[in-house]
């Protein structure tokens, strides 16, 4: 999520961010309508970045799940909308990004050229990488060398997920009264 935000900011484009699970609706056709309206909103805001977080919740592999017509309809709508964005790329100028921690569970039709063709794996940062992140994050701190020398922060953080680390950084930032 943070990488998508950084990309949108570096491109100086607005970003429409949606958790794919939030597209799911209990009413027949509701999820498909939400997806269509999401892509219509992205085309109206173009040029922009459309970021689908946790896309695996709506784009499961159809070969493995042949009994579920619900997910098949949602995936078909998603594929149709992505084809509409890519075929009218000069007109719409929407960059579609998605993230998942289960790439192997996504339908192969979604990963073909013209849809989500580029894949990047972002590993959990090592303790050394985390030290650099902390150094950048708290570069305005007067005592950042003292902060970074606290090895227990790195030891605790090295086993955590990125979400937990972000929460810890927010708490640390608040306790040290940084903006």
């Amino acid at each position: 999520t943070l990488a998508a935000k950084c990309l949108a900011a570096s491109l100086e484009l607005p970003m429409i961010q949606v958790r794919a699970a939030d597209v799911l609706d209990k009413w027949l056709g509701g999820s498909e309508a939400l997806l269509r309206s999401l892509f219509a909103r992205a085309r109206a805001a173009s040029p922009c970045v459309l970021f689908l977080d946790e896309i695996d919740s709506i784009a499961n592999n159809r070969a493995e799940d042949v009994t579920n017509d619900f997910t098949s309809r949602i995936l078909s709508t998603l594929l149709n909308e992505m084809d509409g964005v890519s075929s009218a790329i000069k007109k719409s100028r929407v960059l579609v990004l998605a993230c998942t921690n289960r790439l192997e569970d996504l339908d192969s039709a979604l990963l073909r050229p013209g849809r989500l063709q580029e894949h990047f794996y972002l590993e959990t940062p090592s303790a050394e990488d985390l030290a650099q992140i902390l150094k950048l994050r708290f570069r305005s701190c007067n005592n950042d060398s003292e902060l970074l020398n606290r090895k227990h922060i790195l030891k605790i953080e090295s086993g955590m997920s990125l979400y937990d680390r972000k929460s810890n950084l927010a708490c640390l930032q608040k306790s040290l009264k940084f903006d």
Side-chain angles (χ1 to χ4, degrees), residues 63-78:
E64 294 176 7
D65 192 14
V66 293
T67 61
N68 197 340
D69 187 45
F70 176 71
T71 56
S72 182
R73 284 193 325 266
I74 294 171
L75 180 60
S76 293
T77 303
L78 177 63

Side-chain angles (χ1 to χ4, degrees), residues 92-112:
S92 68
R93 297 177 43 198
V94 174
L95 174 61
V96 180
L97 299 176
C99 79
T100 182
N101 29 351
R102 300 182 335 195
L103 183 64
E104 66 280 354
D105 290 346
L106 294 181
D107 195 271
S108 61
L110 189 64
L111 304 176
R112 75 165 179 79

Side-chain angles (χ1 to χ4, degrees), residues 25-134:
D25 189 67
K26 65 181 179 178
W27 304 107
L28 182 64
S31 300
E32 295 89 333
L34 285 170
L35 264 175
R36 285 189 293 274
S37 69
L38 175 66
F39 276 85
R41 192 172 102 197
R43 283 189 290 273
S46 73
C48 74
V49 174
L50 174 59
F51 178 60
L52 301 169
D53 199 1
E54 302 170 5
I55 195 166
D56 50 279
S57 63
I58 62 170
N60 290 330
N61 192 342
R62 290 177 286 188
E64 294 176 7
D65 192 14
V66 293
T67 61
N68 197 340
D69 187 45
F70 176 71
T71 56
S72 182
R73 284 193 325 266
I74 294 171
L75 180 60
S76 293
T77 303
L78 177 63
L79 295 174
N80 287 334
E81 289 297 328
M82 289 190 71
D83 287 343
V85 165
S86 64
S87 66
I89 193 83
K90 292 184 181 186
K91 204 162 117 177
S92 68
R93 297 177 43 198
V94 174
L95 174 61
V96 180
L97 299 176
C99 79
T100 182
N101 29 351
R102 300 182 335 195
L103 183 64
E104 66 280 354
D105 290 346
L106 294 181
D107 195 271
S108 61
L110 189 64
L111 304 176
R112 75 165 179 79
R115 292 179 179 154
L116 297 176
Q117 64 191 29
E118 302 292 332
H119 311 126
F120 302 95
Y121 178 71
L122 301 176
E123 294 181 1
T124 304
S126 66
E128 296 80 27
D129 293 337
L130 186 59
Q132 292 298 319
I133 292 169
L134 287 171

Side-chain angles (χ1 to χ4, degrees), residues 129-148:
D129 293 337
L130 186 59
Q132 292 298 319
I133 292 169
L134 287 171
K135 196 177 287 187
L136 286 171
R137 184 75 169 129
F138 298 109
R139 64 182 169 259
S140 63
C141 177
N142 293 334
N143 60 351
D144 63 345
S145 60
E146 177 188 329
L147 175 68
L148 292 173

Side-chain angles (χ1 to χ4, degrees), residues 158-172:
S158 63
M160 294 184 162
S161 71
L162 292 176
Y163 177 80
D164 293 332
R165 289 178 184 187
K166 186 176 178 184
S167 298
N168 281 357
L169 282 174
C171 291
L172 184 61

